Amino acid sequence: IRGTKDFTSPEELYDELKKEIKKYHPSDDTSLVDKAYRVAYDAHKGQARKSGEPYIIHPLCVAIVLAELELDKETIAAGLLHDVLEDTIMTMDEMRAEFGDDVAHLVDGVTKLKHLHLTDSTKDPKDKNADRLEMQAENLRKMFLAMAKDIRVIIIKLADRLHNMRTLKYMKPEKQKEKARETMDIYAPIAMRLGISKIKVELDDLSLKYLKPDVYYDLVDKVALRKSERQEFVNNIVKQVKQHMDEASIKAQVDGRIKHFFSIYKKMVNQDKTVDQIYDLFAVRIIVESVK
C-alpha cells in the first residue's frame, strides 16, 4: 500500500488520489470526491499534525489507502471527511445536506468508533492479567464490528489507523507504545478477519517497531541485507515454477514474496530460534483451477 511518499503539497497528494481512483473505477465523474476534498481542505485550514504538516495530509493519505483497496467513491469521500465532524464546526445535518445519507452515515460511524479505546493497552506484557486483557480486547473487537453496521466504517477506521501508525514517530514514546499495543490487539486482528492482508501485515510490522524496537531493527538489518539479491532469488523461483506449469499445460498464477518482519518474529518466538535459524524467509504461492 502506498500513500507514504513525501509530497510537496496537498494538491500533489490529491492528484495521486485521483490517479489511483481512475485505475479501477468505471466512472470518470470525480465530483463527489472533489467536493469532499474542498470541504475537508477548508474545514481543516490552519490545523496541523504533530509532524508540523497541514492536517489535510492525513485524510488525503487515508483516502489513498482506501482507493488502493478499490473502494467506492462514497467511502473515499468519507475518508477525506472522517475528522470533519469532530475537529471542525461542520454539523451532521450540514454534512447530510452536502453529501447525502450514505457519506454522512459513514463519517458518523467512524466518529463514534473514535471513543473506543483499549484502556489497559500500556500494561506490561508480562502482566499476570494477560488473559483478562485478551478477553477485553476480544470484547472490544466484537463491539467495533457490532457498532459498525456498515463494514466500510471499519475499513475507513483501519486506513485511519494505518496512516497514524506510519506517522507515529512524531508522538511521545509512551503514546507510541500505547498506540502500537492497541493496534496489535485490536486493529491488526480485525484486518485479518476481514481478509485485508496488505493492511494487517503493515500494522503488525509497525506495531513491532514500537513495542520491540531492538528486535525490529535487528530483523531489518538481517533480512534487508542484500535485499535486491533476495528479491531476485524469489523472482527466479517464480519464473522456474511458472515455466514448469506452462510446460505441463497447467494454467496457474504464481506469486512470490519475502515474508514480513512480524511473521518472522512470531516464528522465532514459537520455535525458539534466532533469525539465522529461520530458513523460510520466502514464500511462493501457486493458484490453480482445480485440486487435481
Side-chain angles (χ1 to χ4, degrees), residues 34-97:
D34 291 336
K35 186 178 181 183
Y37 172 60
R38 288 195 305 273
V39 169
Y41 187 93
D42 290 339
H44 292 300
K45 193 174 283 184
Q47 296 178 352
R49 301 260 291 167
K50 295 276 187 189
S51 61
E53 66 187 5
Y55 195 90
I56 189 63
I57 297 293
H58 170 64
L60 275 168
C61 287
V62 169
I64 287 172
V65 171
L66 296 170
E68 289 176 351
L69 294 173
E70 300 190 0
L71 283 151
D72 59 277
K73 289 177 183 176
E74 288 76 15
T75 307
I76 292 168
L80 286 165
L81 296 161
H82 77 274
D83 280 330
V84 166
L85 285 182
E86 190 158 83
D87 295 349
T88 75
I89 59 171
M90 191 174 200
T91 67
M92 184 65 181
D93 289 339
E94 288 170 338
M95 182 164 290
R96 188 175 283 109

Side-chain angles (χ1 to χ4, degrees), residues 23 32 50 53 58 104-105 164 184 221 233 242 244 252:
K23 286 181 186 176
L32 180 69
K50 295 276 187 189
E53 66 187 5
H58 170 64
H105 157 76
N164 282 332
M184 190 170 277
D221 287 342
F233 176 72
K242 185 67 179 160
H244 285 297

Side-chain angles (χ1 to χ4, degrees), residues 262-273 278:
F262 184 70
S263 69
I264 297 170
Y265 168 68
K266 275 206 306 185
K267 197 158 287 190
M268 287 164 56
V269 172
N270 293 340
Q271 298 179 12
D272 193 23
K273 291 180 177 178
I278 301 291

Side-chain angles (χ1 to χ4, degrees), residues 1 158 162 183 187-193 195-206 260 262-263 266:
I1 293 180
L158 287 172
L162 178 58
T183 297
Y187 293 93
I190 287 176
M192 184 174 72
R193 289 183 187 192
I196 312 175
S197 62
K198 285 191 288 189
I199 287 185
K200 192 255 186 223
V201 163
E202 192 173 350
L203 289 178
D204 276 338
D205 280 358
L206 287 168
H260 63 105
F262 184 70
S263 69
K266 275 206 306 185

Side-chain angles (χ1 to χ4, degrees), residues 79-133:
L80 286 165
L81 296 161
H82 77 274
D83 280 330
V84 166
L85 285 182
E86 190 158 83
D87 295 349
T88 75
I89 59 171
M90 191 174 200
T91 67
M92 184 65 181
D93 289 339
E94 288 170 338
M95 182 164 290
R96 188 175 283 109
E98 286 284 333
F99 296 99
D101 288 339
D102 199 17
V103 173
H105 157 76
L106 291 173
V107 175
D108 185 49
V110 176
T111 303
K112 285 175 179 171
L113 287 182
K114 284 184 187 175
H115 302 294
L116 286 177
H117 298 286
L118 181 60
T119 51
D120 288 322
S121 60
T122 54
K123 282 189 180 291
D124 190 311
K126 295 176 183 174
D127 189 348
K128 300 297 183 186
N129 295 319
D131 290 342
R132 179 181 60 80
L133 289 178

